[in-house]
Amino acid sequence: MAEAEIIQLGSRGKAGRGSGKAPSAAARGLAPGGTSRSSRARTTPRPTTAPADVADGPAVTVPPIEPDVVDQIEPEVLEPPIVDAEIVDEPAATPETEGEEAVDPAGVEDTIALGNLRSLPVEQLRDLGRDPLKTVLQLAETLGVDWQESVEDVVAFTRSRMSGQYAIDEFGFDPEFTTKVFLPILRPLAQNWFRVEVRGIENLPTTGSALLVSNHAGTMPLDGMVLQSVVYDEIGRHVRMLGADLIFKTPYSHDFARRTGTTLACQEDAERLLASDQLVAVFPEGFKGLGKPYADRYKLQRFGRGGFVSAAVRAQVPLIPVSIVGSEEIYPLIASAPTLARAMGAPYFPITPLFPWFGVFGLIPLPSKWIIQFGEAITTDELSPGAAEDPMVVFNVTDQVRETIQHSLYALLMQRRSAFF
């Protein structure tokens, strides 16, 4: 029989290093050729084998220790080693499972819990170190993300952009870019950050033209973009925005606004869009509503000369009042710095509790709770197209739309519990 491996005992150091001191007499007696009395007197021992189910490896043979040697071993040496692993015993077979066919655990798709790697099977834990990309893709599939389809869409979209084979209308609107790039960016902002609650969506037509008239606020024109995202998600229709001329004079803003469906806020463009069965949105307050102080929040400003009413009456399309609550709190405007604004060629320079004191971080909107309510349509088909030239008719319809939105804003403010909840 081959001699067992000799392990030096009586060490206080870490395993395998020793204490650096000379071995004791009892330890020297364990070595081959030793003259220890207990070594000569012992008989051939029966090796002790560690159970194989403790670790998935070969059994380890450990030589026995003589009684007189045990008395000289330091107490901490006898303490069992700490194994940094969890031992899970396989359940015993029950009468219900004895006749069933065994299932390979590696072929079973277990549910992966986020942030809890203990729920991953052993095979996936091994793949985590060997192939991280494979593990990430498996996690995405478990969460319901069709990554393969997403990659194919990105490749197809990129190829169409590079080849120039995509369609735009006469105003420069790119529906593919808006649907696949612009709206997916806005959707988390509307759903998760502002938690938009939509009311009266049944008042929006699923076909035909209509003119959406909304209040405008919030220092930055996020309300228009959120409105565009909400309408598309609810009824699957794009909203064509009417924007101020400043948008089309700002570098890089012109092309992006055109590409995402915004058109210059003039009567001619509005009538052309309404004549082509489009949903058109207008913010009659303009910069007066967008840049008003926080103390005047939810107080509508003048609606201009009623040019949007003339366009709706001439096109014989309904006017839909839209009331947005929550946009006033995203950037509370405490000052407008008119001198600095004139130097920059802007209608106002926003000064809020966070901007410009915190730099770009001050541009992060506060997570206010939004409510968007679509009111009942104000029809214009009972009016003759010639009524668009009558100032009194235009003024009365404009005032009716403005009062409807203002009363709706007051009602929504009474109903909401808090600006942020």
Side-chain angles (χ1 to χ4, degrees):
M1 178 182 297
E3 293 187 358
E5 181 183 359
I6 303 303
I7 301 176
Q8 180 178 347
L9 302 177
S11 172
R12 291 180 180 269
K14 297 182 179 180
R17 294 183 178 271
S19 61
K21 300 180 181 180
S24 62
R28 289 195 301 270
L30 296 176
T35 58
S36 173
R37 179 181 57 185
S38 57
S39 175
R40 293 193 304 268
R42 70 183 182 188
T43 58
T44 302
R46 184 179 62 182
T48 304
T49 304
D53 57 351
V54 174
D56 295 335
V60 180
T61 302
V62 182
I65 303 176
E66 294 297 328
D68 54 348
V69 178
V70 173
D71 297 337
Q72 303 180 33
I73 299 177
E74 298 296 337
E76 56 267 29
V77 178
L78 295 178
E79 294 180 359
I82 299 176
V83 181
D84 190 13
E86 185 177 357
I87 302 174
V88 179
D89 295 331
E90 296 184 358
T94 59
E96 292 79 9
T97 60
E98 286 179 353
E100 297 180 1
E101 184 179 357
V103 180
D104 184 10
V108 180
E109 295 183 2
D110 295 336
T111 302
I112 302 177
L114 286 176
N116 186 8
L117 292 178
R118 292 177 62 87
S119 62
L120 289 171
V122 177
E123 299 298 332
Q124 292 190 11
L125 282 176
R126 293 175 179 173
D127 291 340
L128 182 61
R130 298 173 184 172
D131 193 350
L133 178 60
K134 179 180 178 182
T135 304
V136 171
L137 296 180
Q138 290 178 352
L139 178 61
E141 291 178 353
T142 305
L143 295 176
V145 178
D146 191 353
W147 61 270
Q148 186 173 1
E149 182 178 355
S150 301
V151 171
E152 292 174 354
D153 291 342
V154 171
V155 172
F157 177 79
T158 305
R159 185 181 294 113
S160 66
R161 298 288 115 176
M162 297 180 64
S163 62
Q165 298 178 357
Y166 56 92
I168 59 174
D169 66 3
E170 56 180 329
F171 298 96
F173 174 53
D174 187 347
E176 184 184 22
F177 174 83
T178 303
T179 304
K180 295 185 177 181
V181 178
F182 183 57
L183 293 181
I185 295 175
L186 292 177
R187 193 166 291 117
L189 180 68
Q191 296 179 354
N192 302 328
W193 191 253
F194 295 139
R195 295 148 292 145
V196 178
E197 178 184 347
V198 181
R199 301 181 183 180
I201 194 64
E202 65 277 1
N203 294 321
L204 287 181
T206 56
T207 58
S209 299
L211 182 61
L212 280 61
V213 185
S214 175
N215 61 307
H216 206 21
T219 305
M220 300 290 287
L222 290 181
D223 49 3
M225 294 184 287
V226 171
L227 178 64
Q228 186 177 3
S229 174
V230 166
V231 173
Y232 183 82
D233 290 342
E234 292 291 338
I235 64 175
R237 299 190 65 183
H238 291 289
V239 177
R240 308 300 298 274
M241 298 290 173
L242 297 179
D245 54 355
L246 180 62
I247 298 177
F248 300 94
K249 294 179 181 179
T250 305
Y252 305 106
S253 175
H254 174 274
D255 293 336
F256 184 79
R258 289 283 185 185
R259 189 178 297 273
T260 55
T262 301
T263 306
L264 183 63
C266 63
Q267 190 167 347
E268 292 77 11
D269 286 355
E271 292 179 0
R272 290 167 61 190
L273 287 171
L274 292 174
S276 58
D277 294 335
Q278 298 288 336
L279 281 181
V280 183
V282 63
F283 301 88
E285 294 177 279
F287 289 114
K288 298 186 302 294
L290 194 65
K292 64 177 177 290
Y294 186 68
D296 297 333
R297 59 191 179 278
Y298 300 112
K299 296 178 182 179
L300 294 182
Q301 305 299 303
R302 192 171 65 90
F303 267 21
R305 301 177 181 178
F308 66 94
V309 172
S310 299
V313 172
R314 191 172 288 108
Q316 299 285 285
V317 299
L319 294 160
I320 300 178
V322 181
S323 305
I324 302 177
V325 168
S327 59
E328 296 273 15
E329 288 83 12
I330 59 174
Y331 298 112
L333 187 67
I334 59 178
S336 57
T339 303
L340 182 58
R342 284 193 298 268
M344 299 178 61
Y348 58 89
F349 182 83
I351 296 179
T352 70
L354 301 179
F355 183 83
W357 326 114
F358 291 91
V360 294
F361 295 101
L363 296 176
I364 300 176
L366 298 179
S368 58
K369 177 70 171 67
W370 284 35
I371 302 175
I372 299 181
Q373 178 170 301
F374 300 94
E376 295 182 0
I378 299 175
T379 59
T380 61
D381 52 1
E382 70 276 4
L383 300 173
S384 64
E389 309 300 332
D390 189 342
M392 291 304 298
V393 173
V394 172
F395 174 80
N396 289 334
V397 177
T398 302
D399 188 64
Q400 180 183 0
V401 175
R402 183 181 182 279
E403 290 298 321
T404 301
I405 297 175
Q406 184 67 81
H407 288 304
S408 178
L409 290 175
Y410 287 151
L412 293 175
L413 289 173
M414 294 292 293
Q415 295 173 14
R416 73 171 183 174
R417 296 175 298 176
S418 171
F420 298 95
F421 301 100

